[in-house]
Amino acid sequence: MSLNRRELLGGATALTTAGLLPRVAFAADAIKLGSILDKSGPFDAYGKPMDMATRLAVAEINEAGGLLGREVEIIAYDTQSDMALYSQYGQQLTRQDKVDVVHGGILSASREAIRQTMRKSKTLYFYNVLYEGGVCDRNIFINGVTPAQQVEALVPYAMNNSGKKVYILAADYNYGQITARWIEKFVRDNGGEVVGTDFFPLDVSDFGSTIAKVQTAAPDLVIAPLVGGAHLSFFRQWAAAGMKDKIALASTTLGVGNEHKVLTPEEGNGIMCAYNYSQELDTPENAAFKERWAAMFDGDQSMHEIAVSHYHGLHTWAEGVRTAGTIDRDAVIEALETGISITGPGGKVTVDPKTHHAVLDVHLMEMRDQKMEVIETLPQRQPIDTQAVCDLSANPDDNTQYEIEI
């Protein structure tokens, strides 16, 4: 389905009437941006704000003059949290819709369902989500934090606030499995010990026996790369069992879909995390972003980590097009590989030419009264986990997701 100009900018009137951005006239042929996201189904808490971020970023781009004098037109599909639809719609975007770029995918499985389609069709692809790292493909740019950026920061902070014995509870697919290995590495690097690791399918929602198992192991800290609405049950059941104030909790995923707003303060307070974005970031860029978001979406404030990564990715792509002076895929890739930077609500975001991943800020946070309070902003973090195995400057034809042995 294609969004025409009126549909696309329907919520942007407040921006224009406020005098922030001028209206412009465009050349006849639009630049086609494909969007493929879970806007319904079990993962819509991630996908809906990502879709909103797409519409906001494109509205900003168009109201500022478009790209190369041309309007950016969104062609969007809702995959309904069905991996099979990612393949179907990915092919439709490239074959029938003939889009110029695709931004989309949430779970790693969705990325891999469409990545090869984009590569074969030579359609530039942006995956803008926190993930497990290791993808090495010149046709893709990735704007989410990777484990070395995030886990390297979170583990020592959480251990310093709890102790050296760590238990890992992770989602049972590649994100959880690989992230668990990174957690184990950084626990060891910081003088700690992993006393147990358990993996859970995405539909598991009963953690009673797991909580009993953790109690027996008696760790100082539980780190939980759990994913999705079913896994949110763990945090509720942990608090209901009286464990929240006995064993510290940290997570590499909780809050990226605004889950902290669903948990009560009694369930969520004190949980530690590290991300690129929080609504509580006290910066001019974040204040302006929240104001624009609320103006476009009738006061809504549902933006979260993944939505902001997506927003960063869209503006990074736009800057690549401006720098290239063309929408040609190869020229845009070469422009992005010069190390293009933008500054967004999460801070400065720079393309790493070697890996096509983002160099970005990571903020240590704790959940307090349904907010993600920023404790410390760390210096810009390189995607060193992926840099260790991926060098697209030396090997531009690489097409691998590396799983680093740790």
Side-chain angles (χ1 to χ4, degrees), residues 1 34-38 75-97 99 102 113-114 117-118:
M1 60 184 171
S35 174
I36 181 168
L37 294 166
D38 303 323
I75 301 176
Y77 292 98
D78 175 13
T79 56
Q80 304 166 51
S81 302
D82 182 343
M83 291 303 111
L85 289 177
Y86 270 100
S87 298
Q88 176 183 326
Y89 291 147
Q91 292 175 3
Q92 188 160 334
L93 283 169
T94 59
R95 295 175 183 176
Q96 281 79 45
D97 300 319
V99 297
V102 169
I114 60 175
T117 296
M118 300 303 140

Side-chain angles (χ1 to χ4, degrees), residues 119 136-138 337 354 389-400 402:
R119 183 180 173 93
C136 193
D137 177 351
R138 194 163 181 254
E337 287 175 337
K354 182 178 177 180
V389 291
C390 178
D391 186 350
L392 292 167
S393 300
N395 304 296
D397 294 327
D398 203 347
N399 178 24
T400 308
Y402 293 97

Side-chain angles (χ1 to χ4, degrees), residues 13-32:
T13 306
L15 297 175
T16 304
T17 57
L20 298 177
L21 297 169
R23 288 202 175 277
V24 293
F26 295 106
D29 55 332
I31 294 171
K32 295 181 179 181

Side-chain angles (χ1 to χ4, degrees), residues 215-230:
Q215 288 174 309
T216 300
D220 302 306
L221 170 68
V222 171
I223 303 181
L226 298 170
V227 174

Side-chain angles (χ1 to χ4, degrees), residues 57-73:
V58 170
E60 290 172 348
I61 292 164
N62 284 337
E63 290 291 339
L67 295 175
L68 314 179
R70 298 163 64 185
E71 180 180 23
V72 178
E73 175 189 13

Side-chain angles (χ1 to χ4, degrees), residues 120-171:
K120 289 175 184 175
S121 68
K122 296 186 178 180
T123 304
L124 186 59
Y125 176 40
F126 280 72
Y127 177 66
N128 304 312
V129 178
L130 171 155
Y131 90 117
E132 69 278 357
V135 169
C136 193
D137 177 351
R138 194 163 181 254
N139 192 59
I140 190 173
F141 288 83
I142 298 177
N143 283 274
V145 292
T146 61
Q149 293 170 308
Q150 176 197 40
V151 177
E152 184 187 35
L154 178 60
V155 165
Y157 174 74
M159 287 174 61
N160 287 340
N161 282 278
S162 57
K164 300 291 188 180
K165 294 171 63 178
V166 177
Y167 206 112
I168 302 170
L169 305 176

